[in-house]
Amino acid sequence: DGYSQLSAYERKRLKNITENAKFFAALKLHEVSARLNQIATKRRPHVTKRAKPKKAEDETVRRRSMRLQRVEPSGIPTLEGSAQPEAEEYPQVPAGPLPMVPEGEMENSKLAEDLLATWMRISEMKADDTEKRTRDMKRYQESLNSMVLSEDNIKKVVKYRVCSMAIHPSESIIFVAAGDKSGQIGLWNVNCKSEGAHVFVPHNYLVSCMHFSPFNPAHLLSLSSDTLRCGDVTRAVFDEICRSEENFSSFDFLEDTASTAIVGHWDGNVAIVDRRTPGTSSELSADIGFKRTRTVHVHPVNKQYFIAAGSVDVCIYDVRYLKSNRNKPVSSLKGHTKSVASAYFSPVTGNRVVTVCADDKLRVYDTTSLSTVAVLSTISNTGRWLTRFRAIWDPKQEDCFVVGSMAQPRQIEVFQDTGELLHSFYNLDYLGSVCSINVVHPTQNILVGGNSSGRLHVF
């Protein structure tokens, strides 16, 4: 009655507040709060504590055998290096020659023997060099259009990511080698539909570079971070050519007989290796001023020159003047703002160089005059989170190169040195991944693309 001056809404609101206050008072929340506080402040229950470890001086001295103490019976301590190594997840590949025996195929060696016999047989046949000449662009594009990918020409060849590939120059059989990040090398006879690939493990680490010898394709040379090996199918052995603790990155032959090679190191140096000399050490190690050397490639005509690519630097050197340090380049290829993944001379004349850079650019340089090198064209190309893309020249076409692509649908692209896109290899049914590593047959219309799961696609 004392609130007659309030509006109807305010009287209703005041009534609700009064009723709520009576309801909460009936709950006796203050008693509940006091009870909870009493429980919380009660003495904690007894917790059994671990006994403190005894001090070292209180312990009884244990007897330990001389073997565990690494002491010879004579009382002389043994060297630290004689301790037993800890167990490892994968067995390490030993140094020295290794038998050419496929991984896990000891019981079924017949198929592997057939594969090696095929490799030996096709290596005895000499390839015809007539098709290596550059064709006119119309004929070349027609040949690209004729190349297709079928379901039979897809195979998982190695277990992990493909890091390098090589294709045998045989014109009768498509024979491909792929190296992965774990040190495996897979060999695949593409023409044999009933048989899979055979895997060998000649390395402990990522296989970064492989080449069939141009002089004797019965030899497959492969490079890992610690060793350069030659798989000789005539003797069924992986020989060790060079071993070093300075991590290797890539190599190329210095002459047609493939007896000597230039080898790049991840720390920036390069080395000269001669396969004819005994031992597994290099002939010369040269500091070229790089922080990192990713690829090396020899000029196809003037083989005294080689190009090295690394962190921003791309330079051409004369191998005749290499010394241990203070080496000056013949010329430098300017314009790269980030690390360079690869740099290769064009296959016939060496008058072009194509580079792949982490700034998402492909660059083509005119190297007709090695002393004055100029940029000819620049192409946008992105290839991140995968094996770094490498643009490789088609051995049959002086002015065209092949490179992986992140475009959808997944494809492998062919460019002319002018920057024009000539052709895209794709197949909506059978190619659904990025092929970062590619290789082209030297005389036939054959392209092989490798992806990050160890699978090869043959167009």
Side-chain angles (χ1 to χ4, degrees):
D1 295 338
Y3 300 104
S4 57
Q5 73 277 13
L6 298 177
S7 66
Y9 168 76
E10 290 173 328
R11 286 197 300 272
K12 179 66 175 175
R13 179 175 175 273
L14 186 61
K15 182 182 178 182
N16 289 341
I17 291 173
T18 305
E19 289 178 354
N20 288 340
K22 289 179 181 178
F23 173 74
F24 283 112
L27 293 177
K28 298 180 180 180
L29 292 177
H30 63 284
E31 294 180 8
V32 175
S33 176
R35 176 62 179 162
L36 291 173
N37 186 53
Q38 183 182 3
I39 293 172
T41 54
K42 264 190 175 182
R43 186 172 63 86
R44 292 179 181 178
H46 177 70
V47 178
T48 305
K49 294 183 179 180
R50 263 190 315 191
K52 290 183 178 180
K54 293 182 180 181
K55 292 183 180 180
E57 57 265 23
D58 297 335
E59 286 187 349
T60 306
V61 178
R62 281 180 165 184
R63 292 187 60 190
R64 299 179 69 202
S65 68
M66 288 186 172
R67 178 181 63 82
L68 293 177
Q69 297 180 63
R70 298 180 184 174
V71 176
E72 296 287 347
S74 61
I76 303 172
T78 59
L79 296 174
E80 285 295 319
S82 63
Q84 293 293 323
E86 296 181 1
E88 297 179 350
E89 186 178 357
Y90 300 105
Q92 291 292 294
V93 175
L98 298 172
M100 198 173 278
V101 178
E103 180 77 357
E105 294 187 26
M106 296 295 290
E107 297 178 359
N108 188 18
S109 60
K110 180 65 171 64
L111 293 176
E113 289 175 2
D114 291 345
L115 178 83
L116 298 180
T118 299
W119 178 9
M120 191 183 308
R121 175 173 56 81
I122 62 177
S123 298
E124 295 171 355
M125 305 176 186
K126 295 297 181 182
D128 184 8
D129 291 342
T130 55
E131 285 296 317
K132 289 187 179 181
R133 293 194 298 269
T134 300
R135 292 169 286 182
D136 64 80
M137 199 53 60
K138 183 179 178 180
R139 285 186 58 203
Y140 181 62
Q141 284 187 292
E142 289 174 354
S143 70
L144 297 177
N145 292 329
S146 69
M147 297 164 64
V148 295
L149 175 67
S150 63
E151 187 176 7
D152 291 338
N153 287 351
I154 303 171
K155 181 79 68 179
K156 186 173 175 64
V157 175
V158 285
K159 187 174 182 180
Y160 300 106
R161 172 167 53 96
V162 175
C163 300
S164 58
M165 285 194 299
I167 188 167
H168 195 281
S170 168
E171 296 179 350
S172 58
I173 287 177
I174 306 174
F175 190 83
V176 187
D180 76 358
K181 71 173 187 177
S182 70
Q184 292 186 356
I185 292 179
L187 300 178
W188 179 27
N189 178 0
V190 182
N191 295 84
C192 187
K193 306 303 180 185
S194 61
E195 187 180 334
H198 297 269
V199 176
F200 303 80
V201 189
H203 297 283
N204 286 312
Y205 308 104
L206 179 151
V207 184
S208 58
C209 190
M210 285 197 300
H211 297 293
F212 283 99
S213 166
F215 182 70
N216 182 5
H219 294 171
L220 173 65
L221 284 87
S222 58
L223 185 79
S224 186
S225 63
D226 62 339
T227 183
L228 172 64
R229 289 189 179 273
C230 174
D232 184 353
V233 71
T234 62
R235 298 188 295 118
V237 65
F238 288 100
D239 276 326
E240 191 169 66
I241 297 172
C242 187
R243 175 173 285 273
S244 174
E245 295 181 359
E246 301 175 7
N247 294 339
F248 297 141
S249 59
S250 64
F251 78 97
D252 195 19
F253 303 113
L254 283 168
E255 24 74 71
D256 293 333
T257 61
S259 298
T260 58
I262 182 83
V263 181
H265 292 176
W266 282 113
D267 66 359
N269 288 2
V270 296
I272 304 298
V273 173
D274 193 331
R275 298 171 59 190
R276 298 163 297 187
T277 58
T280 58
S281 59
S282 61
E283 312 305 311
L284 170 69
S285 180
D287 181 357
I288 59 173
F290 281 25
K291 293 181 180 179
R292 189 176 297 278
T293 300
R294 283 191 170 86
T295 62
V296 290
H297 190 234
V298 176
H299 195 284
V301 179
N302 303 311
K303 292 186 175 295
Q304 68 270 28
Y305 298 110
F306 71 93
I307 189 167
S311 300
V312 182
D313 307 296
V314 180
C315 296
I316 298 172
Y317 293 88
D318 191 330
V319 72
R320 298 171 298 179
Y321 298 104
L322 281 182
K323 48 187 183 295
S324 58
N325 51 41
R326 297 181 181 178
N327 291 285
K328 293 183 179 180
V330 175
S331 60
S332 299
L333 281 63
K334 304 293 185 182
H336 305 95
T337 59
K338 293 186 178 180
S339 64
V340 182
S342 64
Y344 298 119
F345 285 109
S346 57
V348 180
T349 65
N351 288 344
R352 298 286 184 270
V353 164
V354 61
T355 67
V356 179
C357 185
D359 61 8
D360 300 337
K361 294 287 191 298
L362 305 176
R363 292 175 175 85
V364 180
Y365 291 83
D366 183 352
T367 52
T368 306
S369 172
L370 294 180
S371 58
T372 55
V373 178
V375 177
L376 190 65
S377 61
T378 303
I379 305 163
S380 295
N381 178 273
T382 304
R384 295 176 181 171
W385 308 296
L386 302 160
T387 301
R388 297 284 296 274
F389 285 174
R390 300 173 200 165
I392 59 163
W393 296 95
D394 186 336
K396 303 177 295 297
Q397 197 73 12
E398 165 70 7
D399 51 0
C400 297
F401 59 87
V402 177
V403 67
S405 173
M406 296 288 289
Q408 293 280 9
R410 296 308 189 199
Q411 55 195 268
I412 303 169
E413 297 174 334
V414 183
F415 288 93
Q416 195 173 0
D417 58 3
T418 58
E420 179 187 354
L421 177 63
L422 293 179
H423 187 78
S424 294
F425 289 99
Y426 65 92
N427 187 302
L428 298 177
D429 296 322
Y430 303 126
L431 181 59
S433 57
V434 177
C435 292
S436 302
I437 303 298
N438 302 282
V439 66
V440 183
H441 195 280
T443 60
Q444 303 295 300
N445 295 326
I446 300 167
L447 165 68
V448 186
N451 69 9
S452 294
S453 65
R455 199 174 302 276
L456 304 190
H457 307 77
V458 182
F459 288 85

